[in-house]
Amino acid sequence: MLMRLLDRLVALISALLVAGTTVLTCVSVFMRYVVNSSLPWAIEISGFLLVWISFFGAYLAFRQRQHLGVDILIDKLPERLQRIWYSVIDAALIVLFAVIFIHSLRWVRVVGGREIATAPIERGVFIVIIPIACVLCAIAVIADLFKRWKERT
């Protein structure tokens, strides 16, 4: 139940970000080609919002098991070995997310206070999604891991 709530929250935020990016891009095009006055910050902010959308999308893909994978050989294994193999993969993913999390916190600390080139907005507002996404994706993997082993009992 808690995971479904988190999924819905992330999906809602993602939808709002997509809508905001779409509106921002349309306004930017309108300003440039109709009013003949561009909004230099619109393109940069749209790009940063696309990063947020991508990372939230990665979480949603983890939750729905939509990431690319080659499991043709794993599917040939007995059920118990499949569960073990997927658990090893999950453990490796959790370690990967932990490493990225640690390094992304350093990155936020080092460059997060600098303003973006076209507006008085700190970069940290945009790059903080990386550690957030690492936590979300780790939660998704852990939930999947527990579900896989719970189904067995």
Side-chain angles (χ1 to χ4, degrees):
M1 170 113 166
L2 186 60
M3 290 305 295
R4 274 189 256 148
L5 180 63
L6 183 60
D7 294 348
R8 287 181 181 160
L9 178 63
V10 171
L12 174 64
I13 293 170
S14 298
L16 292 172
L17 289 171
V18 168
T21 303
T22 302
V23 168
L24 188 57
T25 302
C26 290
V27 167
S28 178
V29 168
F30 176 81
M31 292 297 291
R32 179 176 298 224
Y33 293 106
V34 176
V35 180
N36 203 23
S37 174
S38 67
L39 302 172
W41 51 268
I43 300 299
E44 187 174 21
I45 290 176
S46 292
F48 281 123
L49 292 178
L50 183 60
V51 173
W52 274 73
I53 294 165
S54 300
F55 278 103
F56 279 144
Y59 164 79
L60 293 170
F62 265 112
R63 288 290 295 145
Q64 298 170 8
R65 298 180 183 164
Q66 296 294 315
H67 277 284
L68 291 175
V70 181
D71 52 10
I72 192 167
L73 295 176
I74 298 171
D75 288 343
K76 304 262 188 236
L77 296 173
E79 184 181 330
R80 181 164 169 75
L81 286 177
Q82 285 181 24
R83 230 184 345 272
I84 291 170
W85 183 249
Y86 283 123
S87 297
V88 168
I89 292 170
D90 288 344
L93 284 171
I94 292 167
V95 169
L96 174 67
F97 292 136
V99 168
I100 295 171
F101 177 81
I102 290 166
H103 288 289
S104 65
L105 285 180
R106 288 184 192 148
W107 189 34
V108 169
R109 195 172 47 248
V110 170
V111 299
R114 298 180 194 160
E115 291 182 349
I116 62 174
T118 57
I121 301 171
E122 292 183 352
R123 291 180 186 272
V125 170
F126 299 108
I127 61 176
V128 74
I129 186 57
I130 300 170
I132 291 171
C134 287
V135 170
L136 287 173
C137 288
I139 289 169
V141 171
I142 291 167
D144 195 39
L145 182 66
F146 280 122
K147 183 180 176 186
R148 184 179 311 113
W149 284 96
K150 186 179 179 183
E151 288 174 352
R152 171 72 173 117
T153 57

